[in-house]
Amino acid sequence: MVDISRNERAQGRFEHLAARIAPHISRDGFTPTALDGLSLLGYAGRTIRQPEVYQPSLVFVAQGEKTAYLEDRVIHYGAGHYLVQAMPVPFECETRGDSKVPVLGASLRIDPDVLDELVTSMPEHVWPATDPTATESLPMAAVALDSNMSDALTRLLDCLDDELSARALYAARVREVIFEAMRGPQGHLLRRLIHERGAYARIGTAINQLHTDYASSLSVADLAASVHMSASSFHHHFKRVTRLSPLQYQKRIRLLAARDLLASQVENVAGAAHAVGYESASQFSREYKRYFGVAPTHDRPRQAHTGTLALTDSARGIST
């Protein structure tokens, strides 16, 4: 039997979250707030499927629906769900909302210091047991928003309208939200980045290096050696986690960074190509059009309002 009252309570929580977010949204896309690491998202219509990359974060949807495509995986996270983005992997995303029921949500950057403190301060056995069937290394996955996480997120959002609470309690409320994610169904992905020194954590370290030095020439052998793995093992585990080879990953990160430069009008096409590591502007233009479906010279109007690329935040990924 379906517990109608439970469903109604859950729906009420989602509506309350949406009501807390809506007054702070003034444009489509991600809107930074004055609170460190917290952005709000809103879309009054449907966005086409397009490439994105998010820094390690928790992306909550209170209203509407988003779908992420990570190569062969399709990840739906609509109202009452959140995305655990454990590693910054390029993916494609589309959003479905309308003017009457816009997509509303929030994104909280996963603070690596908070994550490290939570993991190292408690032994592994105190955390919920990992689902034995969850054997695959997944850098991103959708999770249902339970009452504990919903309450923690509500308290965090309260800081948007209460400066005193923001000053006194925001850091603790960020810690609470990250803690709830860590004891949730996909929390083991976050804990493994810190607690283990196995292949998954090492790939996370390599990904951070790629985000920091994406414009540099890439030697897979050197990157593998830097995380103490053989080239063959590194390539296998990297592709298992990201669904891309290291070279493919670097290319996508470069193109996404170039899109940000073009959207902000910091560089022209040739300047953007050089800034992200391309020696040939013509090769850059061909690969850009192949990836985004539009030439870089025509992409500024389409991308100028999105603001979803997180590479410009000094690639603050998780280090191990």
Side-chain angles (χ1 to χ4, degrees):
M1 179 179 295
V2 177
D3 187 342
I4 301 298
S5 60
R6 178 180 298 179
N7 290 343
E8 290 177 346
R9 288 196 300 271
Q11 183 61 36
R13 290 197 301 269
F14 308 152
E15 291 175 355
H16 178 69
L17 288 170
R20 301 290 293 109
I21 294 167
H24 300 275
I25 299 294
S26 59
R27 61 183 178 88
D28 276 4
F30 282 66
T31 301
T33 71
L35 302 173
D36 184 39
L38 180 66
S39 297
L40 304 179
L41 63 102
Y43 294 92
R46 178 168 183 162
T47 64
I48 62 172
R49 177 173 169 175
Q50 59 182 313
E52 301 289 352
V53 62
Y54 299 159
Q55 61 184 316
S57 56
L58 305 173
V59 183
F60 301 88
V61 179
Q63 182 174 282
E65 186 176 357
K66 292 175 71 68
T67 302
Y69 302 89
L70 181 61
E71 298 305 312
D72 57 333
R73 294 182 60 217
V74 180
I75 305 167
H76 300 284
Y77 55 114
H81 291 81
Y82 64 97
L83 185 73
V84 178
Q85 182 82 52
M87 294 185 189
V89 293
F91 65 102
E92 296 182 354
C93 184
E94 63 181 351
T95 304
R96 288 177 293 280
D98 57 51
S99 57
K100 293 183 178 179
V101 186
V103 174
L104 295 172
S107 173
L108 179 66
R109 186 184 67 239
I110 298 173
D111 188 320
D113 293 331
V114 173
L115 185 62
D116 182 76
E117 188 273 328
L118 284 169
V119 171
T120 57
S121 65
M122 289 180 276
E124 182 64 18
H125 72 267
V126 305
W127 298 102
T130 302
D131 182 349
T133 64
T135 56
E136 189 174 12
S137 297
L138 301 177
M140 54 191 294
V143 178
L145 193 69
D146 63 18
S147 59
N148 288 334
M149 177 62 92
S150 180
D151 290 345
L153 179 60
T154 298
R155 286 189 286 272
L156 182 76
L157 295 175
D158 285 344
C159 292
L160 290 168
D161 298 309
D162 187 340
E163 184 178 358
L164 187 60
S165 291
R167 289 178 177 273
L169 300 173
Y170 178 69
R173 290 176 178 177
V174 167
R175 189 175 186 273
E176 182 183 15
V177 170
I178 294 176
F179 166 75
E180 291 297 341
M182 290 176 64
R183 71 172 180 178
Q186 297 296 327
H188 62 286
L189 300 178
L190 301 174
R191 301 197 301 273
R192 286 170 62 187
L193 289 171
I194 302 297
H195 196 70
E196 296 183 3
R197 292 297 180 263
Y200 184 80
R202 293 179 184 182
I203 295 302
T205 299
I207 286 175
N208 290 335
Q209 292 182 32
L210 283 171
H211 275 265
T212 301
D213 300 318
Y214 61 83
S216 302
S217 59
L218 172 66
S219 165
V220 176
D222 289 345
L223 191 58
S226 72
V227 292
H228 311 290
M229 298 178 73
S230 69
S232 60
S233 177
F234 174 76
H235 190 279
H236 169 76
H237 287 289
F238 193 100
K239 193 163 187 177
R240 183 184 179 191
V241 170
T242 67
R243 267 50 177 191
L244 300 168
S245 72
L247 290 173
Q248 289 172 323
Y249 185 96
Q250 184 195 45
K251 180 185 292 186
R252 293 194 182 182
I253 292 301
R254 283 178 168 181
L255 293 172
L256 286 160
R259 184 185 66 172
D260 226 30
L261 292 174
L262 292 170
S264 61
Q265 300 185 7
V266 172
E267 298 281 1
N268 58 22
V269 173
H274 178 74
V276 301
Y278 277 85
E279 295 183 1
S280 168
S282 60
Q283 179 187 1
F284 165 75
S285 293
R286 288 194 302 272
E287 294 184 352
Y288 192 101
K289 186 174 182 179
R290 187 180 304 122
Y291 188 37
F292 294 115
V294 64
T297 52
H298 297 93
D299 203 27
R300 291 186 183 185
R302 189 181 71 156
Q303 297 299 338
H305 72 285
T306 60
T308 57
L309 182 61
L311 291 178
T312 52
D313 292 336
S314 302
R316 293 186 59 180
I318 299 171
S319 60
T320 58

